């Protein structure tokens, strides 16, 4: 069981999230690659910080939408989208190589993640990029993510979100600006997802989930508290 976090989302002099405070409580970092957030220096620093804490690193590519933080949908042709993802992952791979680290996986960000959960063409475009690097794609079970990526030889990693709400149909409510989450409730939900394979939707109904890993977001206002609570609750299920 892993705890992953979307991070490295600062830019220039602007900070976004407490990456230093989060690293001790996660096992996998999804590092922004420049299209929705981050820049070369931030990518370099985030990879170095992850190595310092023994945290594995995956790429967190986005649609080219820095002004919207990658949370607005855009229309790109399949080849164009694959090229955009290869461009971003390739940049991060250079910084990983500089630290003697391997790319662990690819996880799409924001609107791109949501589009790939519904649209096979978008999911295939991401798979085309991931195949170049030979790494798993991270996404949601029971969606097009699993339908397209589950058959890949490089593998598919299913995640549960500890700090986002779910609709009754199992889709995520991806807000433009994340709100604080109750750490204790997030921890309880994570344990339930891992042990029972269920989550509670916003209408109170139960929905099936599969949690190979649990995600927290660095831009959730109380992200460190949430990550710490989830880590402590999942400790019996973690390998280290």
């Amino acid at each position: 069981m892993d705890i992953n976090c979307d991070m490295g989302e600062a830019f220039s002099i602007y900070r976004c999230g407490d990456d230093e405070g989060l690293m001790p409580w996660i096992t996998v970092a999804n590092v922004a690659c420049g299209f929705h957030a981050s820049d070369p220096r931030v990518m370099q620093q985030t990879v170095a910080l992850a190595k310092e804490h023994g945290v594995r690193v995956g790429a967190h590519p986005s649609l080219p939408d820095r002004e919207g933080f990658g949370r607005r949908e855009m229309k790109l042709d399949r080849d164009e989208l694959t090229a955009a993802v290869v461009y971003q992952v390739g940049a991060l791979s250079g910084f990983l190589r500089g630290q003697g680290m391997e790319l662990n996986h690819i996880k799409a960000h924001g609107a791109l993640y949501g589009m790939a959960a519904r649209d096979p063409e978008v999911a295939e475009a991401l798979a085309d990029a991931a195949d170049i690097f030979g790494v798993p794609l991270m996404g949601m079970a029971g969606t097009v993510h699993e339908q397209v990526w589950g058959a890949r030889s490089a593998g598919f990693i299913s995640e549960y979100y500890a700090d986002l709400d779910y609709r009754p149909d199992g889709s995520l409510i991806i807000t433009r600006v994340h709100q604080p989450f109750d750490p204790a409730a997030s921890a309880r939900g994570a344990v339930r997802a891992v042990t029972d394979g269920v989550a509670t939707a916003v209408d109170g109904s139960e929905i099936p989930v599969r949690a190979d890993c649990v995600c927290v977001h660095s831009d959730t206002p109380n992200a460190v508290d949430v990550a710490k609570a989830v880590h402590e609750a999942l400790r019996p299920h973690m390998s280290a």
Side-chain angles (χ1 to χ4, degrees), residues 9-21 42 45 219:
E9 293 178 325
F11 175 74
S12 183
I13 64 172
Y14 305 102
R15 289 180 57 84
C16 181
D18 183 1
D19 289 357
E20 293 85 356
V42 171
Q45 292 171 339
D219 62 324

Side-chain angles (χ1 to χ4, degrees), residues 5-7 9 16 30-37 59-66 68-73 81 85 88 106-116 122 126 137-138 145 149 159 161 174-176 178 215 217-219:
C5 183
D6 303 342
M7 59 200 330
E9 293 178 325
C16 181
N30 314 306
V31 178
C33 300
F35 272 28
H36 76 280
H60 198 39
S62 168
L63 295 167
D65 177 30
R66 181 171 287 171
F69 202 69
R71 290 180 178 152
R72 300 181 296 189
E73 294 195 2
L81 181 53
V85 174
Q88 294 175 78
I106 295 173
K107 174 188 171 181
H109 167 80
L112 180 57
Y113 185 97
M115 291 164 64
V122 175
L126 285 163
L137 281 154
M138 185 180 289
H145 290 167
W149 302 339
E159 63 178 347
Y161 283 86
I174 302 176
T175 53
R176 184 78 178 273
H178 292 329
C215 176
H217 289 87
S218 64
D219 62 324

Side-chain angles (χ1 to χ4, degrees), residues 2 11 39 51 99 119 126 128 141 143 146 150 154 161 217 240:
D2 281 308
F11 175 74
D39 60 28
K51 182 178 182 180
Q99 290 289 341
D119 187 336
L126 285 163
D128 291 343
T143 71
E146 185 173 32
Y161 283 86
H217 289 87

Side-chain angles (χ1 to χ4, degrees), residues 72-139:
R72 300 181 296 189
E73 294 195 2
M74 303 172 67
K75 177 65 176 176
L76 280 73
D77 292 337
R78 177 170 170 173
D79 289 347
E80 184 182 11
L81 181 53
T82 297
V85 174
V86 171
Y87 181 90
Q88 294 175 78
V89 178
L92 181 67
S93 296
F95 292 115
L96 287 167
R97 186 171 182 178
Q99 290 289 341
M101 299 174 70
E102 298 288 334
L103 180 69
N104 188 71
H105 66 281
I106 295 173
K107 174 188 171 181
H109 167 80
L112 180 57
Y113 185 97
M115 291 164 64
R118 306 186 308 269
D119 187 336
E121 189 77 0
V122 175
E124 292 283 5
L126 285 163
D128 291 343
D131 285 346
I132 292 172
F133 298 95
V135 296
L137 281 154
M138 185 180 289

